[in-house]
Every structure is written in structure tokens, then in C-alpha cells.
Amino acid sequence: MMTRIIIASLAVFAIAVPCTMAGRGGGNFYVPALVATGQPIHQAATTGQLTLLLTACAGMLVFHKHGLVDWKLALVLSPATDAMAFVGGYLAHLMPGASLKFILAGLLGNRSQTGDWLIFSPFQGRKMCLSPSPPRGTVPF
């Protein structure tokens, strides 16, 4: 039991660090990694959401320090996102674990087929900056 927890912790940490540095959530990696270490799907999804919350807060602090957080946009998007997270959690609780695994596999498969190019495409109209303290409005990677 303790070995599984250590392996799951190392897997999530190995995923969380690069995803947070890139400003990307990583939730589509946490849940499969946790399920692969033997956690039930409901527990893995909940743990993945908590990990997303913690890594988002850590990333937000770093990006805010460099003046890269668009607070107006965050205040517009956050209420709807927060509300739908509760709705999704409630609906997931009503479904059996096997159904959730199939839904997750379908969503991940569809996403990998259609959406990954959006994540790795360059930002339109923004300059890339590699200095340790980038000017306001630039991306720090």
C-alpha cells in the first residue's frame, strides 16, 4: 500500500512540474497515472482535481510575480469554471467507475486526435522572452 502511494506521488510530481512550468493543467495525465498505480477512478479524479488546484495556485503566483496574470479574464472565467467543476463532480459520483474510465479514454483519445496542435502552437501577437524577468505582457518560456 505504501509503495503504491510513493509511486503515485512520484508520477504526479513528475507530471506536475513540467505542466505547471508550461502553464498547462496536466489533468489529462494525472488521472490515468493514478489509475495505473491502482487508485479507483473516483479517487483518482478527485486527487487529480486537488493536484490541479495546487499546481494552478503555484503557477499563478509565479506568473503574477512577472505580471503575466490577466485578472479581468480570470474573474470572468473563474465563476463558470468553478460551478461546472462541482456539476461534473456530482455527475461523476452518480456513474460507475467503469463508465468513467470509458468516457475518460474517449475524451483523451479525441483530444489527442484533434486538439494537441492548439496547445503547442505559438501565441499570436506575443513576443517570446527568455530573460529571467520578462517585461509585462510576454510569455516567460
Side-chain angles (χ1 to χ4, degrees), residues 53-72:
L53 173 69
L54 296 175
T55 57
C57 288
M60 185 269 310
L61 291 173
V62 172
F63 285 108
H64 174 71
K65 179 180 176 184
H66 294 287
L68 298 173
V69 177
D70 185 353
W71 288 107
K72 290 178 185 175

Side-chain angles (χ1 to χ4, degrees), residues 2-136:
M2 188 59 132
T3 305
R4 242 186 346 182
I5 292 172
I6 292 171
I7 292 171
S9 299
L10 291 174
V12 168
F13 182 77
I15 295 167
V17 170
C19 286
T20 301
M21 289 172 60
R24 186 166 170 357
N28 54 335
F29 301 116
Y30 301 140
V31 176
L34 292 170
V35 169
T37 61
Q39 283 192 5
I41 186 75
H42 289 96
Q43 184 179 354
T46 304
T47 304
Q49 288 299 314
L50 177 63
T51 304
L52 282 172
L53 173 69
L54 296 175
T55 57
C57 288
M60 185 269 310
L61 291 173
V62 172
F63 285 108
H64 174 71
K65 179 180 176 184
H66 294 287
L68 298 173
V69 177
D70 185 353
W71 288 107
K72 290 178 185 175
L73 180 62
L75 292 173
V76 168
L77 293 178
S78 184
T81 304
D82 296 343
M84 293 313 292
F86 282 107
V87 170
Y90 177 75
L91 293 176
H93 178 71
L94 299 175
M95 302 176 92
S99 298
L100 287 178
K101 286 181 183 179
F102 281 112
I103 292 170
L104 178 65
L107 290 173
L108 291 177
N110 183 45
R111 188 184 164 284
S112 67
Q113 296 291 323
T114 59
D116 277 343
W117 64 273
L118 287 173
I119 294 168
F120 297 110
S121 64
F123 290 97
Q124 297 290 331
R126 291 191 178 181
K127 296 178 182 177
M128 301 300 270
C129 181
L130 299 176
S131 66
S133 180
R136 267 188 183 275

